[in-house]
Amino acid sequence: MKNVFWLLMLLTLIIGCGERVAELPQENSVYYWRTEWQTDSVTKAFLEQYHIQKIYCRYFDVVMADSTPMPNATIIFSEKVSQGIQLVPTIYITEDCMHHRHEDLAHKIVSRILQINETNDIEGVSELQIDCDYTARSRKMYYDFLNDVRCEAQEHGLRLSATIRLHQLSMPVPPVDYGVLMLYNTGDPRKFDERNPVLDLRDVQPYIRHLADYVLPLAAAYPVYCWQRTIYGVRIEHTVSAEEILRVKSAVEKQRASLSRSIITYHLDQENIRRYKAEDYETIYHH
């Protein structure tokens, strides 16, 4: 009887509201992190050149307002999404939303996503993603929330993914179909004079030992953006060299070869496209 109990527990963890995918497909993707959906000849050419058909598109944020999680900065679609593009609605939720249970939050989020899709004639959506910088304090509440979202999503034929930050690799895996390993914003912004806070291999290395044993399919997301801020009246720009991105890519793929299958860049923007040479993007997206 004891063995049967543990077998049932294992099956519950594996299945939840549905089975996880065994391995991610080989594909190139990109994040779109703006409040207005609008493409141009440069971004369209980029998508075509690197065979990108999946775009993780931020639909809205969820933030605390008067002790209640509320949507914020909802995207506006000023043009129709081109045929052949598969959007993955992505929701950023602040960690303080996960300090307490909020009834019907998962239902409200999924319903809002479906409403945005219907209003803007967005078809072919097959999954959604939740992005949250959860901690050990909020993990249990967040995982319960994800399980609710996953069950809601599956009622509409949708899979669920979640972002995974490096410090979260040491925690139990979340109840989602797969994760996106965020290989950006890896450093301490207060130590910008020592290391690049956007991405530095030295900040990544202490965590990658967890990759081999992390029992969740993972895609990898790399930064191609510029972070600008003012410190003591001086304007500082943080950009990452292609060489550093490729060093990190090599290091994580050495620990987990499957991370070369599904590659994402953050995020789709004219300036980001022009920041790197075509051969740099070719190598970043190399499988």
Side-chain angles (χ1 to χ4, degrees):
M1 290 295 295
K2 185 176 180 181
N3 290 338
V4 172
F5 171 79
W6 285 113
L7 178 60
L8 290 174
M9 287 293 291
L10 178 61
L11 289 173
T12 301
L13 288 172
I14 293 174
I15 297 174
C17 276
E19 296 181 2
R20 293 191 176 110
V21 295
E23 190 175 60
L24 296 180
Q26 185 170 297
E27 62 185 357
N28 298 337
S29 309
V30 67
Y31 275 101
Y32 188 93
W33 215 260
R34 299 170 64 183
T35 55
E36 181 180 7
W37 174 267
Q38 194 169 36
T39 57
D40 52 40
S41 59
V42 175
T43 54
K44 289 178 180 177
F46 177 83
L47 297 176
E48 182 177 353
Q49 181 174 357
Y50 300 105
H51 311 289
I52 296 170
Q53 295 180 313
K54 178 185 282 189
I55 299 179
Y56 295 83
C57 180
R58 190 204 66 86
Y59 268 34
F60 55 89
D61 302 335
V62 178
V63 301
M64 289 298 292
D66 298 326
S67 302
T68 304
M70 297 292 291
N72 183 59
T74 301
I75 192 171
I76 297 171
F77 286 87
S78 59
E79 66 178 42
K80 189 173 178 61
V81 178
S82 301
Q83 285 189 339
I85 293 296
Q86 178 192 352
L87 283 194
V88 179
T90 302
I91 312 303
Y92 172 72
I93 185 166
T94 58
E95 191 262 350
D96 57 346
C97 291
M98 294 293 108
H99 290 173
H100 304 282
R101 181 171 177 80
H102 302 280
E103 296 296 334
D104 296 328
L105 179 58
H107 175 74
K108 290 176 180 177
I109 287 175
V110 174
S111 296
R112 186 176 179 83
I113 291 170
L114 296 174
Q115 182 183 45
I116 291 173
N117 290 342
E118 182 178 358
T119 301
N120 296 281
D121 297 321
I122 299 171
E123 301 176 347
V125 172
S126 61
E127 64 179 276
L128 59 92
Q129 184 173 107
I130 302 295
D131 176 23
C132 181
D133 190 4
Y134 61 93
T135 63
R137 173 188 176 186
S138 57
R139 181 187 64 81
K140 175 63 168 62
M141 197 71 66
Y142 178 59
Y143 283 15
D144 289 345
F145 161 73
L146 285 179
N147 197 56
D148 291 343
V149 173
R150 194 180 186 198
C151 292
E152 288 277 344
Q154 287 187 346
E155 289 183 8
H156 301 279
L158 304 173
R159 291 195 303 158
L160 176 65
S161 62
T163 55
I164 308 294
R165 288 159 176 79
L166 287 170
H167 71 88
Q168 295 162 350
L169 286 173
S170 61
M171 303 181 191
V173 300
V176 295
D177 295 294
Y178 71 94
V180 172
L181 182 62
M182 287 177 52
L183 292 161
Y184 52 91
N185 294 346
T186 59
D188 187 340
R190 297 169 297 180
K191 299 179 180 179
F192 68 94
D193 55 336
E194 299 175 13
R195 299 182 186 181
N196 190 327
V198 175
L199 182 64
D200 189 301
L201 178 58
R202 292 170 293 179
D203 292 318
V204 175
Q205 282 176 326
Y207 299 97
I208 60 177
R209 60 187 176 88
H210 298 290
L211 282 173
D213 299 322
Y214 196 72
V215 289
L216 185 69
L218 288 175
Y222 298 97
V224 293
Y225 62 90
C226 173
W227 179 20
Q228 298 180 350
R229 58 189 181 135
T230 301
I231 302 173
Y232 301 121
V234 179
R235 192 172 187 81
I236 302 294
E237 286 191 355
H238 301 293
T239 58
V240 184
S241 68
E243 290 76 16
E244 187 67 12
I245 295 173
L246 295 174
R247 278 194 288 269
V248 171
K249 186 174 187 290
S250 175
V252 297
E253 289 177 5
K254 184 177 181 180
Q255 291 291 323
R256 185 168 175 146
S258 61
L259 282 172
S260 67
R261 294 187 58 81
S262 183
I263 305 294
I264 312 169
T265 57
Y266 180 97
H267 64 105
L268 186 64
D269 179 84
Q270 269 198 33
E271 291 186 7
N272 296 337
I273 291 171
R274 291 168 173 155
R275 182 165 291 114
Y276 300 92
K277 299 177 182 178
E279 53 264 36
D280 293 331
Y281 272 111
E282 289 285 356
T283 311
I284 292 170
Y285 278 123
H286 179 71
H287 298 284

